[in-house]
Amino acid sequence: MAETTVNVRYMVDDVEAAIAWYTTHLGFSVLTNYAPAFADVRRGALRLLLSGPTSSAGRPMPDGELPRPGGWNRIHLIVDDLSAEVARLRVAGVQFRNEIVTGPGGSQILLIDPSGNFVELFQPARG
């Protein structure tokens, strides 16, 4: 991997479903597929590691807690036209957590992947 690659790990319930979701809806391409345990997908400089329950990342912690999907951390993808992306993804049946929110820096919305992980689409304010 190049030094400019950013690696993010998401715990997922179903690696194949995650691959399909990220490649179909958000333009990622598959690097490796070792489903059901693991796969990694890429979009630009982002390498997203999709770790299923049978992956080494899914093993219990010393206290017995199991790593699991979800939470409020998320990858942040910049788009040119947020409204158009939201319309396209709604037609495709993608689930959203909220509606578009606008602030001084731009507009954003949260998508939910098949395992409950968030993806933020963000359109910077024109300035």
Tab-separated table of all heavy atoms in Angstrom, residues 57-108:
chain	number	residue	atom	x	y	z
A	57	ALA	N	-10.011	-9.808	13.515
A	57	ALA	CA	-10.462	-8.584	14.182
A	57	ALA	C	-11.771	-8.794	14.941
A	57	ALA	O	-12.124	-7.990	15.796
A	57	ALA	CB	-10.637	-7.471	13.160
A	58	GLY	N	-12.475	-9.885	14.642
A	58	GLY	CA	-13.743	-10.174	15.306
A	58	GLY	C	-13.607	-11.024	16.563
A	58	GLY	O	-14.601	-11.342	17.200
A	59	ARG	N	-12.378	-11.390	16.912
A	59	ARG	CA	-12.166	-12.226	18.106
A	59	ARG	C	-12.490	-11.457	19.374
A	59	ARG	O	-12.300	-10.243	19.448
A	59	ARG	CB	-10.727	-12.717	18.145
A	59	ARG	CG	-10.428	-13.693	17.038
A	59	ARG	CD	-8.999	-14.183	17.098
A	59	ARG	NE	-8.732	-15.022	15.935
A	59	ARG	CZ	-7.542	-15.182	15.405
A	59	ARG	NH1	-6.495	-14.573	15.927
A	59	ARG	NH2	-7.388	-15.959	14.358
A	60	PRO	N	-12.953	-12.169	20.409
A	60	PRO	CA	-13.291	-11.498	21.672
A	60	PRO	C	-12.090	-10.793	22.299
A	60	PRO	O	-10.948	-11.248	22.165
A	60	PRO	CB	-13.763	-12.637	22.570
A	60	PRO	CG	-14.025	-13.793	21.675
A	60	PRO	CD	-13.179	-13.607	20.457
A	61	MET	N	-12.359	-9.706	22.978
A	61	MET	CA	-11.356	-8.999	23.757
A	61	MET	C	-11.086	-9.795	25.036
A	61	MET	O	-11.857	-10.697	25.378
A	61	MET	CB	-11.844	-7.589	24.109
A	61	MET	CG	-12.090	-6.695	22.897
A	61	MET	SD	-10.588	-6.269	22.004
A	61	MET	CE	-10.724	-7.280	20.535
A	62	PRO	N	-10.019	-9.483	25.771
A	62	PRO	CA	-9.723	-10.229	26.992
A	62	PRO	C	-10.873	-10.265	28.001
A	62	PRO	O	-11.034	-11.239	28.741
A	62	PRO	CB	-8.510	-9.495	27.571
A	62	PRO	CG	-7.830	-8.916	26.371
A	62	PRO	CD	-8.969	-8.537	25.438
A	63	ASP	N	-11.703	-9.226	27.995
A	63	ASP	CA	-12.840	-9.200	28.932
A	63	ASP	C	-14.075	-9.911	28.379
A	63	ASP	O	-15.125	-9.925	29.011
A	63	ASP	CB	-13.189	-7.771	29.323
A	63	ASP	CG	-13.728	-6.930	28.167
A	63	ASP	OD1	-13.824	-7.437	27.021
A	63	ASP	OD2	-14.048	-5.748	28.409
A	64	GLY	N	-13.954	-10.487	27.171
A	64	GLY	CA	-15.058	-11.233	26.573
A	64	GLY	C	-15.920	-10.438	25.616
A	64	GLY	O	-16.739	-11.009	24.896
A	65	GLU	N	-15.776	-9.107	25.585
A	65	GLU	CA	-16.597	-8.303	24.680
A	65	GLU	C	-16.216	-8.597	23.231
A	65	GLU	O	-15.045	-8.700	22.886
A	65	GLU	CB	-16.421	-6.811	24.955
A	65	GLU	CG	-17.338	-5.958	24.103
A	65	GLU	CD	-17.265	-4.475	24.435
A	65	GLU	OE1	-16.551	-4.092	25.370
A	65	GLU	OE2	-17.934	-3.712	23.740
A	66	LEU	N	-17.233	-8.727	22.380
A	66	LEU	CA	-17.027	-8.994	20.957
A	66	LEU	C	-17.050	-7.690	20.169
A	66	LEU	O	-17.955	-6.869	20.353
A	66	LEU	CB	-18.126	-9.914	20.417
A	66	LEU	CG	-18.076	-11.364	20.865
A	66	LEU	CD1	-19.329	-12.104	20.419
A	66	LEU	CD2	-16.839	-12.044	20.299
A	67	PRO	N	-16.082	-7.486	19.273
A	67	PRO	CA	-16.169	-6.334	18.377
A	67	PRO	C	-17.426	-6.460	17.520
A	67	PRO	O	-17.786	-7.559	17.098
A	67	PRO	CB	-14.910	-6.473	17.515
A	67	PRO	CG	-13.970	-7.286	18.332
A	67	PRO	CD	-14.848	-8.244	19.093
A	68	ARG	N	-18.087	-5.339	17.285
A	68	ARG	CA	-19.324	-5.396	16.501
A	68	ARG	C	-19.487	-4.117	15.694
A	68	ARG	O	-18.869	-3.107	15.994
A	68	ARG	CB	-20.522	-5.632	17.404
A	68	ARG	CG	-20.783	-4.545	18.404
A	68	ARG	CD	-21.965	-4.902	19.318
A	68	ARG	NE	-22.426	-3.780	20.056
A	68	ARG	CZ	-21.905	-3.341	21.193
A	68	ARG	NH1	-20.873	-3.950	21.717
A	68	ARG	NH2	-22.404	-2.288	21.799
A	69	PRO	N	-20.326	-4.171	14.670
A	69	PRO	CA	-20.542	-3.001	13.827
A	69	PRO	C	-21.328	-1.913	14.554
A	69	PRO	O	-21.897	-2.140	15.619
A	69	PRO	CB	-21.377	-3.539	12.663
A	69	PRO	CG	-21.476	-4.998	12.820
A	69	PRO	CD	-21.033	-5.349	14.206
A	70	GLY	N	-21.381	-0.775	13.899
A	70	GLY	CA	-22.194	0.331	14.402
A	70	GLY	C	-21.352	1.356	15.135
A	70	GLY	O	-20.136	1.324	15.110
A	71	GLY	N	-21.999	2.274	15.777
A	71	GLY	CA	-21.306	3.362	16.456
A	71	GLY	C	-21.394	4.623	15.629
A	71	GLY	O	-21.950	4.634	14.535
A	72	TRP	N	-20.851	5.689	16.154
A	72	TRP	CA	-20.969	6.986	15.498
A	72	TRP	C	-19.746	7.371	14.683
A	72	TRP	O	-19.770	8.365	13.956
A	72	TRP	CB	-21.288	8.066	16.532
A	72	TRP	CG	-22.679	7.894	17.017
A	72	TRP	CD1	-23.078	7.246	18.161
A	72	TRP	CD2	-23.872	8.299	16.367
A	72	TRP	NE1	-24.438	7.252	18.250
A	72	TRP	CE2	-24.963	7.896	17.165
A	72	TRP	CE3	-24.144	8.978	15.179
A	72	TRP	CZ2	-26.282	8.143	16.822
A	72	TRP	CZ3	-25.463	9.229	14.843
A	72	TRP	CH2	-26.510	8.810	15.667
A	73	ASN	N	-18.648	6.619	14.783
A	73	ASN	CA	-17.511	6.883	13.908
A	73	ASN	C	-17.916	6.532	12.489
A	73	ASN	O	-18.720	5.641	12.268
A	73	ASN	CB	-16.304	6.042	14.324
A	73	ASN	CG	-15.799	6.444	15.679
A	73	ASN	OD1	-15.760	7.620	16.003
A	73	ASN	ND2	-15.423	5.469	16.475
A	74	ARG	N	-17.337	7.234	11.517
A	74	ARG	CA	-17.742	6.974	10.138
A	74	ARG	C	-16.692	7.457	9.166
A	74	ARG	O	-15.900	8.334	9.480
A	74	ARG	CB	-19.063	7.658	9.844
A	74	ARG	CG	-19.010	9.172	10.056
A	74	ARG	CD	-20.390	9.682	10.359
A	74	ARG	NE	-20.488	11.091	10.550
A	74	ARG	CZ	-20.936	11.642	11.669
A	74	ARG	NH1	-21.257	10.894	12.694
A	74	ARG	NH2	-21.064	12.939	11.761
A	75	ILE	N	-16.758	6.884	7.957
A	75	ILE	CA	-15.952	7.442	6.889
A	75	ILE	C	-16.713	8.630	6.320
A	75	ILE	O	-17.940	8.717	6.416
A	75	ILE	CB	-15.599	6.397	5.813
A	75	ILE	CG1	-16.836	5.779	5.182
A	75	ILE	CG2	-14.686	5.330	6.376
A	75	ILE	CD1	-16.541	4.869	4.005
A	76	HIS	N	-15.974	9.554	5.756
A	76	HIS	CA	-16.505	10.840	5.316
A	76	HIS	C	-16.147	10.985	3.844
A	76	HIS	O	-14.971	11.093	3.498
A	76	HIS	CB	-15.824	11.903	6.190
A	76	HIS	CG	-16.192	13.309	5.920
A	76	HIS	ND1	-15.407	14.134	5.147
A	76	HIS	CD2	-17.224	14.061	6.341
A	76	HIS	CE1	-15.951	15.339	5.117
A	76	HIS	NE2	-17.048	15.319	5.815
A	77	LEU	N	-17.143	10.941	2.974
A	77	LEU	CA	-16.911	11.019	1.533
A	77	LEU	C	-17.427	12.350	1.001
A	77	LEU	O	-18.581	12.717	1.236
A	77	LEU	CB	-17.607	9.868	0.809
A	77	LEU	CG	-17.228	8.453	1.261
A	77	LEU	CD1	-18.067	7.422	0.522
A	77	LEU	CD2	-15.744	8.203	1.060
A	78	ILE	N	-16.575	13.054	0.294
A	78	ILE	CA	-16.955	14.350	-0.260
A	78	ILE	C	-17.599	14.142	-1.628
A	78	ILE	O	-17.097	13.373	-2.452
A	78	ILE	CB	-15.738	15.278	-0.348
A	78	ILE	CG1	-15.247	15.549	1.074
A	78	ILE	CG2	-16.073	16.569	-1.092
A	78	ILE	CD1	-14.050	16.431	1.188
A	79	VAL	N	-18.716	14.818	-1.843
A	79	VAL	CA	-19.447	14.739	-3.110
A	79	VAL	C	-19.650	16.148	-3.663
A	79	VAL	O	-19.628	17.127	-2.927
A	79	VAL	CB	-20.809	14.018	-2.938
A	79	VAL	CG1	-20.607	12.591	-2.439
A	79	VAL	CG2	-21.727	14.763	-1.979
A	80	ASP	N	-19.856	16.230	-4.971
A	80	ASP	CA	-20.066	17.525	-5.619
A	80	ASP	C	-21.503	18.016	-5.502
A	80	ASP	O	-21.744	19.209	-5.430
A	80	ASP	CB	-19.697	17.443	-7.109
A	80	ASP	CG	-18.210	17.239	-7.323
A	80	ASP	OD1	-17.413	17.770	-6.519
A	80	ASP	OD2	-17.852	16.535	-8.283
A	81	ASP	N	-22.469	17.088	-5.527
A	81	ASP	CA	-23.887	17.453	-5.513
A	81	ASP	C	-24.617	16.514	-4.563
A	81	ASP	O	-25.050	15.429	-4.949
A	81	ASP	CB	-24.448	17.357	-6.927
A	81	ASP	CG	-25.880	17.855	-7.028
A	81	ASP	OD1	-26.596	17.891	-5.990
A	81	ASP	OD2	-26.306	18.189	-8.147
A	82	LEU	N	-24.728	16.931	-3.317
A	82	LEU	CA	-25.317	16.076	-2.285
A	82	LEU	C	-26.767	15.714	-2.600
A	82	LEU	O	-27.155	14.555	-2.459
A	82	LEU	CB	-25.212	16.752	-0.913
A	82	LEU	CG	-25.680	15.923	0.273
A	82	LEU	CD1	-24.894	14.628	0.398
A	82	LEU	CD2	-25.583	16.737	1.556
A	83	SER	N	-27.547	16.653	-3.029
A	83	SER	CA	-28.959	16.377	-3.327
A	83	SER	C	-29.098	15.311	-4.406
A	83	SER	O	-29.939	14.413	-4.302
A	83	SER	CB	-29.687	17.651	-3.748
A	83	SER	OG	-29.738	18.554	-2.666
A	84	ALA	N	-28.277	15.406	-5.447
A	84	ALA	CA	-28.334	14.413	-6.528
A	84	ALA	C	-27.914	13.037	-6.023
A	84	ALA	O	-28.524	12.020	-6.387
A	84	ALA	CB	-27.448	14.843	-7.692
A	85	GLU	N	-26.872	12.974	-5.182
A	85	GLU	CA	-26.429	11.695	-4.622
A	85	GLU	C	-27.509	11.080	-3.746
A	85	GLU	O	-27.777	9.881	-3.808
A	85	GLU	CB	-25.138	11.858	-3.826
A	85	GLU	CG	-23.914	12.037	-4.672
A	85	GLU	CD	-23.636	10.821	-5.546
A	85	GLU	OE1	-23.576	9.688	-5.029
A	85	GLU	OE2	-23.480	11.009	-6.768
A	86	VAL	N	-28.140	11.898	-2.920
A	86	VAL	CA	-29.206	11.395	-2.051
A	86	VAL	C	-30.356	10.851	-2.891
A	86	VAL	O	-30.875	9.763	-2.620
A	86	VAL	CB	-29.682	12.491	-1.073
A	86	VAL	CG1	-30.963	12.088	-0.361
A	86	VAL	CG2	-28.581	12.812	-0.061
A	87	ALA	N	-30.744	11.571	-3.916
A	87	ALA	CA	-31.834	11.105	-4.790
A	87	ALA	C	-31.471	9.774	-5.439
A	87	ALA	O	-32.280	8.838	-5.472
A	87	ALA	CB	-32.145	12.163	-5.856
A	88	ARG	N	-30.251	9.665	-5.955
A	88	ARG	CA	-29.803	8.425	-6.607
A	88	ARG	C	-29.821	7.260	-5.623
A	88	ARG	O	-30.301	6.165	-5.937
A	88	ARG	CB	-28.382	8.628	-7.159
A	88	ARG	CG	-27.773	7.396	-7.806
A	88	ARG	CD	-26.344	7.647	-8.248
A	88	ARG	NE	-25.392	7.781	-7.164
A	88	ARG	CZ	-24.859	6.748	-6.493
A	88	ARG	NH1	-25.197	5.503	-6.797
A	88	ARG	NH2	-23.981	6.960	-5.535
A	89	LEU	N	-29.328	7.493	-4.418
A	89	LEU	CA	-29.236	6.422	-3.425
A	89	LEU	C	-30.609	6.034	-2.866
A	89	LEU	O	-30.853	4.871	-2.565
A	89	LEU	CB	-28.274	6.825	-2.309
A	89	LEU	CG	-26.811	6.931	-2.773
A	89	LEU	CD1	-25.970	7.657	-1.731
A	89	LEU	CD2	-26.243	5.558	-3.077
A	90	ARG	N	-31.513	7.001	-2.736
A	90	ARG	CA	-32.884	6.669	-2.280
A	90	ARG	C	-33.563	5.735	-3.281
A	90	ARG	O	-34.220	4.776	-2.899
A	90	ARG	CB	-33.710	7.922	-2.067
A	90	ARG	CG	-33.365	8.686	-0.811
A	90	ARG	CD	-34.437	9.716	-0.471
A	90	ARG	NE	-33.980	10.684	0.495
A	90	ARG	CZ	-33.900	10.491	1.805
A	90	ARG	NH1	-34.237	9.327	2.311
A	90	ARG	NH2	-33.476	11.445	2.610
A	91	VAL	N	-33.406	6.025	-4.569
A	91	VAL	CA	-33.984	5.170	-5.616
A	91	VAL	C	-33.421	3.754	-5.505
A	91	VAL	O	-34.129	2.771	-5.728
A	91	VAL	CB	-33.725	5.776	-7.020
A	91	VAL	CG1	-34.040	4.773	-8.122
A	91	VAL	CG2	-34.546	7.042	-7.210
A	92	ALA	N	-32.153	3.646	-5.127
A	92	ALA	CA	-31.501	2.335	-4.993
A	92	ALA	C	-31.855	1.632	-3.683
A	92	ALA	O	-31.413	0.512	-3.460
A	92	ALA	CB	-29.988	2.500	-5.099
A	93	GLY	N	-32.642	2.293	-2.828
A	93	GLY	CA	-33.069	1.661	-1.584
A	93	GLY	C	-32.095	1.772	-0.430
A	93	GLY	O	-32.237	1.078	0.576
A	94	VAL	N	-31.110	2.653	-0.544
A	94	VAL	CA	-30.145	2.833	0.542
A	94	VAL	C	-30.849	3.481	1.730
A	94	VAL	O	-31.669	4.383	1.583
A	94	VAL	CB	-28.950	3.693	0.063
A	94	VAL	CG1	-28.045	4.087	1.219
A	94	VAL	CG2	-28.169	2.927	-0.997
A	95	GLN	N	-30.492	3.007	2.926
A	95	GLN	CA	-31.101	3.517	4.161
A	95	GLN	C	-30.315	4.722	4.677
A	95	GLN	O	-29.089	4.708	4.703
A	95	GLN	CB	-31.106	2.421	5.222
A	95	GLN	CG	-31.771	2.826	6.511
A	95	GLN	CD	-31.737	1.714	7.552
A	95	GLN	OE1	-31.235	0.620	7.307
A	95	GLN	NE2	-32.268	2.001	8.711
A	96	PHE	N	-31.031	5.752	5.091
A	96	PHE	CA	-30.432	6.957	5.661
A	96	PHE	C	-30.770	7.051	7.139
A	96	PHE	O	-31.830	6.606	7.583
A	96	PHE	CB	-30.946	8.215	4.941
A	96	PHE	CG	-30.458	8.330	3.526
A	96	PHE	CD1	-31.125	7.699	2.480
A	96	PHE	CD2	-29.326	9.062	3.243
A	96	PHE	CE1	-30.670	7.800	1.186
A	96	PHE	CE2	-28.854	9.158	1.933
A	96	PHE	CZ	-29.531	8.535	0.905
A	97	ARG	N	-29.895	7.683	7.905
A	97	ARG	CA	-30.105	7.879	9.348
A	97	ARG	C	-30.817	9.197	9.613
A	97	ARG	O	-31.482	9.370	10.607
A	97	ARG	CB	-28.743	7.855	10.064
A	97	ARG	CG	-28.788	8.141	11.555
A	97	ARG	CD	-29.524	7.033	12.275
A	97	ARG	NE	-29.458	7.155	13.710
A	97	ARG	CZ	-30.320	7.838	14.459
A	97	ARG	NH1	-31.317	8.487	13.891
A	97	ARG	NH2	-30.198	7.872	15.765
A	98	ASN	N	-30.622	10.156	8.705
A	98	ASN	CA	-31.199	11.486	8.910
A	98	ASN	C	-31.485	12.120	7.559
A	98	ASN	O	-31.336	11.481	6.523
A	98	ASN	CB	-30.248	12.365	9.741
A	98	ASN	CG	-28.911	12.613	9.060
A	98	ASN	OD1	-28.507	11.889	8.168
A	98	ASN	ND2	-28.213	13.649	9.492
A	99	GLU	N	-31.893	13.355	7.591
A	99	GLU	CA	-32.066	14.151	6.377
A	99	GLU	C	-30.821	15.024	6.210
A	99	GLU	O	-29.988	15.099	7.115
A	99	GLU	CB	-33.327	15.019	6.477
A	99	GLU	CG	-34.620	14.222	6.573
A	99	GLU	CD	-34.889	13.346	5.358
A	99	GLU	OE1	-34.588	13.778	4.221
A	99	GLU	OE2	-35.395	12.223	5.545
A	100	ILE	N	-30.709	15.715	5.110
A	100	ILE	CA	-29.563	16.598	4.887
A	100	ILE	C	-29.543	17.685	5.958
A	100	ILE	O	-30.561	18.313	6.246
A	100	ILE	CB	-29.612	17.221	3.480
A	100	ILE	CG1	-29.443	16.124	2.411
A	100	ILE	CG2	-28.540	18.299	3.328
A	100	ILE	CD1	-29.605	16.615	0.983
A	101	VAL	N	-28.358	17.895	6.539
A	101	VAL	CA	-28.129	18.923	7.544
A	101	VAL	C	-27.114	19.901	6.959
A	101	VAL	O	-26.102	19.474	6.395
A	101	VAL	CB	-27.569	18.307	8.844
A	101	VAL	CG1	-27.225	19.377	9.857
A	101	VAL	CG2	-28.541	17.297	9.423
A	102	THR	N	-27.386	21.199	7.091
A	102	THR	CA	-26.497	22.202	6.535
A	102	THR	C	-25.947	23.084	7.654
A	102	THR	O	-26.689	23.502	8.547
A	102	THR	CB	-27.228	23.066	5.498
A	102	THR	OG1	-27.707	22.198	4.461
A	102	THR	CG2	-26.315	24.118	4.896
A	103	GLY	N	-24.651	23.342	7.593
A	103	GLY	CA	-23.978	24.218	8.545
A	103	GLY	C	-23.044	25.142	7.800
A	103	GLY	O	-23.024	25.160	6.561
A	104	PRO	N	-22.217	25.884	8.531
A	104	PRO	CA	-21.341	26.852	7.873
A	104	PRO	C	-20.305	26.226	6.942
A	104	PRO	O	-19.883	26.837	5.971
A	104	PRO	CB	-20.659	27.580	9.036
A	104	PRO	CG	-20.850	26.706	10.216
A	104	PRO	CD	-22.084	25.902	9.975
A	105	GLY	N	-19.916	24.978	7.197
A	105	GLY	CA	-18.906	24.326	6.372
A	105	GLY	C	-19.457	23.576	5.182
A	105	GLY	O	-18.717	23.178	4.286
A	106	GLY	N	-20.767	23.322	5.185
A	106	GLY	CA	-21.356	22.576	4.090
A	106	GLY	C	-22.569	21.782	4.535
A	106	GLY	O	-23.146	22.048	5.585
A	107	SER	N	-22.924	20.791	3.734
A	107	SER	CA	-24.105	19.964	4.004
A	107	SER	C	-23.697	18.504	4.095
A	107	SER	O	-22.761	18.071	3.415
A	107	SER	CB	-25.130	20.141	2.887
A	107	SER	OG	-25.527	21.492	2.786
A	108	GLN	N	-24.432	17.754	4.914
A	108	GLN	CA	-24.094	16.353	5.111
A	108	GLN	C	-25.333	15.516	5.376
A	108	GLN	O	-26.386	16.044	5.736
A	108	GLN	CB	-23.134	16.203	6.290
A	108	GLN	CG	-23.742	16.635	7.619
A	108	GLN	CD	-22.765	16.500	8.762
A	108	GLN	OE1	-22.335	15.401	9.059
A	108	GLN	NE2	-22.439	17.611	9.388
